[in-house]
Amino acid sequence: MASPPPSTAPARLVVLVSGSGTNLQALLDAIGDDPEGFGAQIVAVGADRSGIAGLERAERAGLPTFVCRVKDHATREEWDAALAAATAGYRPDLVVSAGFMKIVGKEFLARFGGRFINTHPALLPSFPGAHGVRDALAYGVKVTGCTVHFVDDGVDTGPIIAQGVVEVTEEDTAEGEAALHERIKEIERKLLVEAVGRLARDGYRIEGRKVHLGHVGE
Ligand code: GRF
């Protein structure tokens, strides 16, 4: 699977959030007022809940937002189709799940598979799922980190784009998940910005589990 050939227009990004949105903010800050230089622009921010800091960040940046809540739909499939339709309305080249705490379904993947990116706070394939930081800490690993990957139909199983490593210290063991997660997020934000920028500027192709960055056809 290959991305479209890079063009001079910045890639259109829809970012999905569920919480504080610091990864979204890192993208906003990196793009700044030079989407051409970064290679991408955020065209909308979507969420699965209202009243979150992530949406406030989007509004402060003057971006359109949308909220698609599971409980407003009769079935999970209907929610998935509504999320896919709302996202498609902004004609994204790439969709970024930046702390979006929902597993999307068939319809969303049919539309955005191969251009839907997630960031996960552990070194996949270890510790997938909603509690990656806690699970790594409980296992007693000495290093953990974060993974930016394409989303497939498994839970955090798609092809890996980039990873960052964070050492687990004695203090983490004592202080617990929150302190370690904060240190992971410092690395994660930089990793996500770099990965999105490179995908948008340089193009990419996915061959099986391997992601190759660089102009398609080179
Ligand atoms: C990130 O660590 C992400 O990997 C995880 O939730 C966190 C989101 O943070 N799924 P934020 O909302 O971007 O601040």
Side-chain angles (χ1 to χ4, degrees):
M1 186 181 298
S3 63
S7 70
T8 47
R12 298 172 63 85
L13 308 179
V14 168
V15 180
L16 302 179
V17 296
S18 296
S20 62
T22 64
N23 281 283
L24 164 67
Q25 189 67 53
L27 283 167
L28 286 167
D29 293 347
I31 294 167
D33 57 7
D34 186 18
E36 282 79 15
F38 185 77
Q41 59 178 331
I42 300 175
V43 292
V45 173
D48 63 333
R49 62 199 76 184
S50 51
I52 55 172
L55 286 173
E56 285 169 21
R57 292 177 193 275
E59 281 153 18
R60 272 203 300 277
L63 291 170
T65 61
F66 58 92
V67 175
C68 198
R69 299 188 305 179
V70 172
K71 65 181 178 190
D72 293 337
H73 297 85
T75 64
R76 187 85 185 194
E77 288 71 28
E78 282 180 25
W79 168 78
D80 181 59
L83 181 71
T87 303
Y90 293 97
R91 296 178 291 106
D93 299 303
L94 294 170
V95 182
V96 182
S97 159
F100 185 64
M101 301 303 283
K102 287 282 184 302
I103 306 289
V104 300
K106 282 202 175 76
E107 173 78 28
F108 197 93
L109 285 177
R111 289 211 197 189
F112 301 111
R115 53 201 179 105
F116 182 29
I117 296 153
N118 181 46
T119 176
H120 179 74
L123 290 175
L124 295 172
S126 294
F127 312 115
H131 305 292
V133 180
R134 187 194 307 173
D135 294 345
L137 204 51
Y139 199 90
V141 295
K142 299 300 183 193
V143 292
T144 184
C146 43
T147 303
V148 177
H149 64 97
F150 285 105
V151 179
D152 66 6
D153 60 2
V155 176
D156 301 323
T157 52
I160 291 171
I161 302 162
Q163 293 186 296
V165 175
V166 174
E167 278 192 41
V168 181
T169 64
E170 287 295 327
E171 290 81 63
D172 293 325
T173 309
E175 288 173 25
E177 184 184 351
L180 177 58
H181 198 174
E182 271 317 308
R183 292 217 323 288
I184 291 171
K185 282 174 70 171
E186 280 174 30
I187 304 297
E188 189 178 20
R189 291 189 278 263
K190 293 185 189 123
L191 194 77
L192 181 68
V193 164
E194 193 184 318
V196 169
R198 289 203 60 193
L199 293 168
R201 283 191 300 275
D202 300 344
Y204 63 91
R205 62 184 200 281
I206 305 170
E207 287 175 1
R209 289 215 52 84
K210 306 277 169 54
V211 178
H212 303 280
L213 295 170
H215 294 311
V216 177
E218 278 185 7

